[in-house]
């Protein structure tokens, strides 16, 4: 290793890259990181973190309305988007500083520029400077996919949504996955007229059907429009700055903003992967083994650029496992089973394990328990929104193989429920636990 400038050169300082670099350095490695944008990556700078802050901000629209039913005299309220936006971006700056500090505290050298692999162990920075390293880690993440059709350049993605000058009066969101449903809720609560369009007739593929249906029903009741089986034909800009969107199977729609939330694609361009001999799959994701090793022995890849599970906590685990394996003398792989996840829609959805349909296919005999209830707070608030919890069990053993929830605080409740599912507990174990009354989560131990 002494023959190289560094033991490890990481390209990309997102959640995965930062964890891998910091832990490798703690194991004694000499580490450098190149980041062309801002330390923190998608999650911290333009993803999970600022999005969650907007979700909190958006929820006040309903909270203020509900408060009146709880006796509060709320005068007419006005929402100031610019204030929220700037507060959120201010906090992003703070976190960006903390992430940078973490790397520096561990003696990791940061190059704020683009890096390309130019030789077996060589990296060239955009300044022209060349560096060598024993190992190279690619952790460049993914970026929004924008479909190609006339006028697509008139739309934005979630990257730009955090920087808008104003909340658009009418917004069309393309896609029906995580980002589309989260931003549909955010924009709607901030007063925009929201239409969500998708190429298929499903939203949130991968989540339990009953929950997806419930979100659709609640979203429609809130006033969000849906257009399914719709593909873009073109977008035209009108004289007044508005946009007319032409799509298959539906009338043209006039809006003020189009936002694409149609999946994310791995960032592999310009990295020199071809020349280095690093294999990618048909979706341009880097192919890796269970230890995150690519087709080249000393080049590894983690996170969204590998397209395994596109979630921050997974990228962090991959980064940790890589550093422990290569520099800590403790070979480690990531366990991808039972990964809990959540969609911060209004109301949120959360799930872990098998959906009812998956369990039926895989196990045959299953038992399904549901609780369909109106949360106490919604009753007083005259909010006709029902929560739905579902527990899926293996009929042969009673083991809980999946839990799925839609309702207030579902992601908070799910994190703990996921421990039980991961541990292989049974329905009887849940039933043996005394309820905390009155809560929503007590439904999980009272299911009949
Ligand atoms: P998703 O994969 O969740 O959803 C993509 C949506 O776009 C689907 O509705 C899909 O339709 C549609 N779509 C995909 N490709 C095309 C295409 N070529 N043309 C038209 N429509 C298309 O992606 P997102 O962009 O919402 O989010 C990206 C990833 O980021 C997520 O998969 C998730 O892993 C992560 N994420 C996680 C969050 C969380 O944990 N809360 C929050 C935000 C993002 P169809 O259903 O027909 O396939």
């Amino acid at each position: 290793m002494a023959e190289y400038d560094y033991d490890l050169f990481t390209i990309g300082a997102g959640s995965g890259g930062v964890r891998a670099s910091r832990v490798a350095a703690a194991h004694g490695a000499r580490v450098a990181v190149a980041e062309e944008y801002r330390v923190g990556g998608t999650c911290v700078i333009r993803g999970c973190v600022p999005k969650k802050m907007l979700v909190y901000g958006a929820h006040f629209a309903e909270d203020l309305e509900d408060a009146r039913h709880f006796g509060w005299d709320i005068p007419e309220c006005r929402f100031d988007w610019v204030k929220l936006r700037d507060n959120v971006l201010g906090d992003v700056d703070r976190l960006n500083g903390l992430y940078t500090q973490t790397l520096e505290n561990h003696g990791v050298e940061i190059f704020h520029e683009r890096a390309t692999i130019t030789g077996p162990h060589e990296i060239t920075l955009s300044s022209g400077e060349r560096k060598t390293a024993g190992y190279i880690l690619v952790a460049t993440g993914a970026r929004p996919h924008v479909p190609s059709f006339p006028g697509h350049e008139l739309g934005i993605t979630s990257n730009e949504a955090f920087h808008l000058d104003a909340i658009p009066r009418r917004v069309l969101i393309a896609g029906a996955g995580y980002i589309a449903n989260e931003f549909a809720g955010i924009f709607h609560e901030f007063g925009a007229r929201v239409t969500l369009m998708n190429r298929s007739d499903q939203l949130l593929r991968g989540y339990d059907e009953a929950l997806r249906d419930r979100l659709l029903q609640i979203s429609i009741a809130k006033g969000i429009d849906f257009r399914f089986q719709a593909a873009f034909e073109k977008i035209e800009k009108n004289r007044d700055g508005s946009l007319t969107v032409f799509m298959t199977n539906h009338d043209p729609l006039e809006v003020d903003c189009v936002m694409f939330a149609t999946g994310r694609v791995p960032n592999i361009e310009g990295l020199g992967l071809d020349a280095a001999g690093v294999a990618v799959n048909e979706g341009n994701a880097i192919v890796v083994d269970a230890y995150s090793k690519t087709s080249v022995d000393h080049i590894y890849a983690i996170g969204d650029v590998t397209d395994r599970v596109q979630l921050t906590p997974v990228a962090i685990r991959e980064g940790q496992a890589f550093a422990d394996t290569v520099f800590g003398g403790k070979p480690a792989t990531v366990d991808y089973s039972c990964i809990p996840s959540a969609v911060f829609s209004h109301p949120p959805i959360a799930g872990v394990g098998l959906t009812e349909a998956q369990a039926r296919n895989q196990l045959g005999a299953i038992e399904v328990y549901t609780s369909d209830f109106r949360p106490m707070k919604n009753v007083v608030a005259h909010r006709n929104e029902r929560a739905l919890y579902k527990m899926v069990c293996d009929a042969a053993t009673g083991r809980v193989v999946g839990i799925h929830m839609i309702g207030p605080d579902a992601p908070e409740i799910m994190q703990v429920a996921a421990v039980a599912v991961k541990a292989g507990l049974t329905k009887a174990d849940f039933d043996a636990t005394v309820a905390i009354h009155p809560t929503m989560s007590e439904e999980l131990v009272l299911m009949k």
Side-chain angles (χ1 to χ4, degrees):
M1 284 288 202
E3 69 208 84
Y4 302 115
D5 298 331
Y6 304 98
D7 301 317
L8 171 65
F9 197 103
T10 302
I11 308 179
S15 302
V18 167
R19 172 60 70 92
S21 302
R22 153 169 101 62
V23 176
H27 285 315
R30 296 167 302 143
V31 184
V33 180
E35 169 56 58
E36 65 175 338
Y37 188 49
R38 301 183 74 188
V39 173
T42 296
C43 172
V44 174
I45 307 296
R46 43 181 137 57
C48 328
V49 172
K51 180 278 311 286
K52 184 74 184 278
M53 293 176 189
L54 295 189
V55 169
Y56 279 131
H59 211 274
F60 280 102
E62 293 185 0
D63 290 341
L64 286 165
E65 229 176 77
D66 293 353
R68 296 192 171 103
H69 293 286
F70 286 86
W72 292 91
D73 184 9
I74 311 270
E76 208 43 54
C77 290
R78 205 181 62 80
F79 169 63
D80 184 343
W81 159 252
V82 171
K83 190 169 202 169
L84 175 63
R85 180 198 67 190
D86 292 349
N87 286 346
V88 169
L89 294 179
D91 210 56
V92 167
D93 288 344
R94 183 183 68 82
L95 291 168
N96 169 233
L98 285 178
Y99 271 69
T100 306
Q101 216 174 57
T102 301
L103 288 176
E104 287 170 354
N105 289 347
H106 282 81
V108 175
E109 198 171 340
I110 307 173
F111 295 98
H112 292 279
E113 48 193 310
R114 204 174 160 73
T116 306
I117 302 170
T118 44
H121 289 270
E122 185 190 76
I123 296 102
T124 301
L125 297 166
S126 48
S127 61
E129 212 178 331
R130 287 167 194 267
K131 301 286 175 190
T132 58
Y135 288 90
I136 296 170
L137 177 67
V138 183
T140 46
R143 64 176 185 283
H145 157 76
V146 174
S148 184
F149 64 92
H152 69 84
E153 68 285 353
L154 296 168
I156 64 166
T157 68
S158 53
N159 287 352
E160 292 75 43
F162 297 106
H163 300 272
L164 289 171
D165 291 331
I167 293 295
R169 199 163 59 80
R170 299 159 300 177
V171 55
L172 174 74
I173 302 179
Y178 281 83
I179 296 176
N181 280 287
E182 291 178 343
F183 273 91
I186 290 168
F187 282 131
H188 172 76
E189 300 294 339
F190 289 154
R193 173 106 191 121
V194 178
T195 306
L196 198 142
M197 74 173 261
N198 198 32
R199 59 181 179 182
S200 68
D201 57 2
Q202 291 184 14
L203 45 88
L204 289 170
R205 211 147 34 84
Y207 277 89
D208 192 89
E209 203 176 334
L211 276 75
R212 295 192 270 138
D213 271 1
R214 180 62 53 94
L215 179 63
L216 180 62
Q217 295 316 322
I218 293 176
S219 300
I220 290 171
K222 281 188 200 291
I224 296 172
D225 281 337
F226 287 83
R227 291 186 170 199
F228 290 120
Q229 306 283 9
F232 282 106
E233 288 173 339
K234 60 178 175 176
I235 303 178
E236 283 177 356
K237 188 159 191 161
N238 305 316
R239 281 221 183 124
D240 63 358
S242 66
L243 305 170
T244 302
V245 182
F246 296 83
M247 63 188 89
T248 58
N249 296 324
H250 297 269
D251 290 337
L253 183 71
E254 196 180 296
V255 292
D256 304 294
C257 174
V258 174
M259 183 177 125
F260 297 106
T262 45
R264 297 175 65 83
V265 290
N267 283 324
I268 59 157
E269 293 76 11
L271 288 173
L273 298 180
D274 253 5
V278 174
V280 298
N281 68 16
E282 63 288 348
N284 277 340
I286 297 179
V287 179
V288 288
D289 68 10
Y291 292 95
S292 296
K293 192 203 285 191
T294 70
S295 50
V296 178
D297 262 356
H298 63 278
I299 302 182
Y300 284 68
I302 54 167
D304 288 0
V305 76
T306 65
D307 198 15
R308 286 175 277 189
V309 179
Q310 289 186 323
L311 294 174
T312 298
V314 175
I316 290 173
R317 286 198 172 218
E318 288 168 355
Q320 176 84 43
F322 157 77
D324 287 345
T325 301
V326 177
F327 298 103
K330 287 179 289 183
T333 56
V334 174
D335 176 0
Y336 293 93
S337 66
C338 273
I339 295 174
S341 62
V343 186
F344 294 95
S345 42
H346 280 78
I349 283 183
V352 66
L354 302 177
T355 63
E356 181 177 346
Q358 288 166 341
R360 221 174 272 291
N361 281 340
Q362 288 181 29
L363 304 172
I366 59 168
E367 279 163 5
V368 178
Y369 302 88
T370 55
S371 178
D372 189 336
F373 62 100
R374 197 164 161 210
M376 188 189 273
K377 187 170 167 235
N378 285 356
V379 178
V380 179
H382 296 190
R383 185 170 290 284
N384 195 21
E385 253 178 63
R386 298 181 70 82
L388 178 63
Y389 291 6
K390 184 186 272 195
M391 182 180 278
V392 185
C393 303
D394 181 347
T397 60
R399 190 174 151 207
V400 181
V401 294
I403 295 183
H404 311 279
M405 301 194 273
I406 179 168
D409 296 329
E412 300 290 345
I413 300 166
M414 179 56 73
Q415 181 69 77
V416 184
V419 176
V421 178
K422 177 88 181 146
L425 299 191
T426 61
K427 172 75 167 58
D429 293 318
F430 275 79
D431 294 347
T433 307
V434 174
I436 301 176
H437 185 71
T439 60
M440 293 178 287
S441 48
E442 69 179 311
E443 297 298 324
L444 289 173
V445 297
L446 300 173
M447 283 182 162
K448 293 276 181 290

